[in-house]
Amino acid sequence: MDRLVKPDSKEVELMFNKGQKCSSTFNLTNLMHTMPVAVSLTTTNPSIFSLNKPLSIIPPLSSSTYTLQLSHPHHQPPLSSPADAIVVRTTMLPTGKARTDDLLRLFSKPGPHVFRDAVLTISFVGPDVAEFLVFHHNPERLNLFKRALSGCHTNHLTELLKPAVERGNADSVAVLIAAGADPSFRDSDGKSLIPFAIRSLNFEKMKLLVASGCRIDKSVDLVLHEAAAIDRVDFMEFLLESFGGGDEIDVNCVDSNGRSPIHVAAIQGHVDVIEFCVSIGGNPNFVDLNGWTPLHYAASQGHLNAVMCLLECSNVKKVRNKDGKTAFLLAKENGHKQLFDLLHWGDELVRAVKVDDVHGVKRCIEEGASLNTRDQNGWTPLHWAAFKGRIKSLKVLLEHGAEVDAVDGDGYTPLHSAAHAGHLQVALLLIAHGSQVNLKSFQGSLDSFEKHVSLDYATLYQEKA
């Protein structure tokens, strides 16, 4: 004989509600045609669960209903691994009658007369259980999560999607959608679920939502801004591929402050994002509602690499925001000295050199200006001093260690510049400081001295000697 009774289910579901008592019923049926059966019910965790009839007698071919109950209200489901269970033991009772004490003695003595008929798993179900499992997600609890959803209506499932996207894993999101949750859900601000998937740093959740039909509203979701904030170019590429065909997404779209994704990347110092946005048509010169360009933000935060990147692709160094401040002034206010030369003193040094303002040159050097910074033409301050014939400034630059044979994009050194402009004394001074007379430009020209200075190579070498 396999068993004496049959349960109506292998699982007993408890609809759990925070801080409330909960209970569930189940049935056992006597399979014997002529003989009553005594039943003993116990739980694997008697401190949490109680049964209304731990000992009972079921007449032949009859059924009996039992109630499982939490002993005390709980604020979170008392889940365990493995799951708690009800153990059903039975024995035949020829007399059909017995007192409680008799039944206790009957089941207290192990032997072939006692059958272990069933083990019923106890499952907690309902929105409170599902929500708890979302916030305490664990791959091992995925089956518990699936069972918990059996007590949820469609609106409950959809309400759980946002916390699952924010805090859960991709599997929990997939289970909710498969169970009937609506992936087109929008919160009270009108946001779709995709921005929350981006913030969770989970690529799989984002792909799952898009594949399930989730759409975005570029005026509300600002998904490129979200991806820029966390430095995820791969997210941006996927979003553009998924939504770039229509008007749902735009690399130059702005938020309520008029900031583009490049602004956001500049605030965080994310160089890869800045470069990516510019490469697909993003405007690095864009001004927000306060008159701030991305360069203003990068400078105010002291992001050296972002500032260097923006200087290469934008031309807003002198742009002032609504407070009348340039990027340099913001860097100065915040003490970011490493940016002073890039944003200001380099320009000031060249200006001072061009007019031979020796005091200005010295001041810029004292403030940290780089002697070998190059302008858009590849010229250093020494190139300009040589070309303009500003011998006083040239001396100061050389005394402070300026690179005498720095080359521009065409391979021209300051000596080439001096010769081209016909400044003999400047050329001689550069040679005296080690400039190479026979250094060719990338075009291979060495004839500047003959064309522009009344001095042959032999004389130059004599002067050098």
Side-chain angles (χ1 to χ4, degrees):
M1 181 180 294
D2 293 328
R3 57 184 175 178
L4 302 180
V5 299
K6 179 182 178 181
D8 60 354
S9 175
K10 295 181 179 179
E11 190 172 35
V12 178
E13 292 186 346
L14 276 172
M15 177 65 75
F16 177 83
N17 293 294
K18 296 177 184 177
Q20 298 180 23
K21 292 183 178 180
C22 59
S23 62
S24 181
T25 61
F26 60 97
N27 296 319
L28 295 177
T29 300
N30 183 354
L31 300 177
M32 304 296 291
H33 289 264
T34 60
M35 192 171 295
V37 172
V39 177
S40 169
L41 301 178
T42 57
T43 66
T44 53
N45 197 340
S47 65
I48 292 179
F49 302 101
S50 62
L51 290 152
N52 67 327
K53 293 188 293 186
L55 295 169
S56 63
I57 299 172
I58 306 177
L61 296 179
S62 297
S63 296
S64 183
T65 300
Y66 300 86
T67 301
L68 175 71
Q69 175 175 306
L70 274 181
S71 300
H72 305 284
H74 290 70
H75 289 287
Q76 64 183 42
L79 302 171
S80 62
S81 181
D84 289 315
I86 301 169
V87 179
V88 181
R89 294 186 300 153
T90 61
T91 187
M92 290 182 286
L93 193 64
T95 63
K97 294 181 181 180
R99 294 178 302 177
T100 301
D101 291 343
D102 296 331
L103 293 176
L104 283 172
R105 283 193 296 271
L106 191 61
F107 284 107
S108 65
K109 297 178 181 179
H113 65 287
V114 176
F115 295 86
R116 186 184 172 100
D117 266 14
V119 177
L120 310 180
T121 302
I122 300 172
S123 298
F124 290 97
V125 301
D128 286 348
V129 183
E131 182 180 4
F132 174 82
L133 290 170
V134 163
F135 286 103
H136 300 82
H137 66 89
N138 184 313
E140 296 178 358
R141 289 183 164 183
L142 187 60
N143 286 330
L144 292 179
F145 182 64
K146 291 178 180 178
R147 288 201 293 270
L149 297 185
S150 67
C152 299
H153 299 299
T154 302
N155 59 329
H156 291 146
L157 297 172
T158 301
E159 289 172 0
L160 286 168
L161 260 183
K162 182 180 176 182
V165 170
E166 289 179 310
R167 299 282 298 275
N169 53 25
D171 288 337
S172 61
V173 175
V175 167
L176 281 168
I177 293 175
D182 183 4
S184 63
F185 164 84
R186 291 187 177 274
D187 67 9
S188 57
D189 296 321
K191 283 185 178 291
S192 74
L193 293 166
I194 293 181
F196 303 102
I198 295 171
R199 293 175 196 174
S200 75
L201 308 179
N202 191 306
F203 204 160
E204 292 305 313
K205 282 190 282 190
M206 184 173 62
K207 290 198 296 184
L208 174 62
L209 290 170
V210 172
S212 300
C214 187
R215 309 304 297 177
I216 63 172
D217 180 343
K218 70 178 182 181
S219 64
V220 178
D221 290 322
L222 299 171
V223 291
L224 292 183
H225 290 72
E226 298 280 357
I230 60 172
D231 199 19
R232 292 299 296 263
V233 171
D234 57 337
F235 280 27
M236 301 180 84
E237 289 175 332
F238 174 77
L239 290 164
L240 287 163
E241 180 181 342
S242 301
F243 302 112
D247 60 352
E248 293 175 290
I249 198 168
D250 181 2
V251 72
N252 287 313
C253 64
V254 297
D255 61 16
S256 59
N257 296 305
R259 297 171 187 161
S260 70
I262 298 180
H263 281 96
V264 174
I267 292 170
Q268 301 296 330
H270 297 326
V271 175
D272 289 344
V273 173
I274 294 172
E275 291 178 339
F276 173 73
C277 288
V278 171
S279 72
I280 61 172
N283 182 5
N285 300 316
F286 207 87
V287 177
D288 70 9
L289 297 182
N290 292 314
W292 287 52
T293 66
L295 184 63
H296 281 99
Y297 284 108
S300 68
Q301 297 297 318
H303 298 309
L304 175 60
N305 291 333
V307 167
M308 293 173 65
C309 174
L310 288 164
L311 287 175
E312 290 179 1
C313 61
S314 64
N315 185 27
V316 293
K317 190 185 292 188
K318 296 181 180 180
V319 171
R320 296 180 181 272
N321 61 20
K322 286 189 175 181
D323 296 324
K325 295 176 181 178
T326 62
F328 166 74
L329 290 175
L330 291 170
K332 188 174 182 181
E333 279 183 2
N334 292 289
H336 302 309
K337 294 183 178 179
Q338 75 276 18
L339 302 180
F340 290 0
D341 179 50
L342 284 171
L343 294 171
H344 183 68
W345 293 125
D347 293 339
E348 286 296 299
L349 178 58
V350 170
R351 185 199 63 78
V353 165
K354 287 180 178 179
V355 298
D356 213 18
D357 177 4
V358 175
H359 294 295
V361 171
K362 291 180 178 179
R363 179 171 62 88
C364 290
I365 294 173
E366 290 171 359
E367 291 288 349
S370 172
L371 297 178
N372 300 309
T373 296
R374 302 173 189 278
D375 61 15
Q376 65 271 22
N377 300 310
W379 276 25
T380 66
L382 199 64
H383 278 91
W384 281 109
F387 182 71
K388 292 287 187 178
R390 310 307 189 195
I391 196 163
K392 293 180 181 179
S393 295
L394 188 103
K395 288 180 179 179
V396 173
L397 293 171
L398 291 171
E399 288 169 1
H400 284 83
E403 185 180 348
V404 70
D405 278 331
V407 294
D408 66 6
D410 294 322
Y412 285 94
T413 66
L415 183 57
H416 285 102
S417 300
H420 182 81
H423 299 306
L424 175 59
Q425 296 302 316
V426 170
L428 294 175
L429 181 60
L430 287 167
I431 292 170
H433 279 79
S435 183
Q436 299 181 48
V437 177
N438 60 347
L439 190 64
K440 293 184 178 182
S441 69
F442 295 156
Q443 282 72 31
S445 62
L446 264 175
D447 58 355
S448 296
F449 298 110
E450 294 180 354
K451 289 182 178 179
H452 303 288
V453 180
S454 301
L455 198 65
D456 58 22
Y457 293 143
T459 307
L460 285 171
Y461 280 115
Q462 289 173 5
E463 291 288 349
K464 184 177 180 181

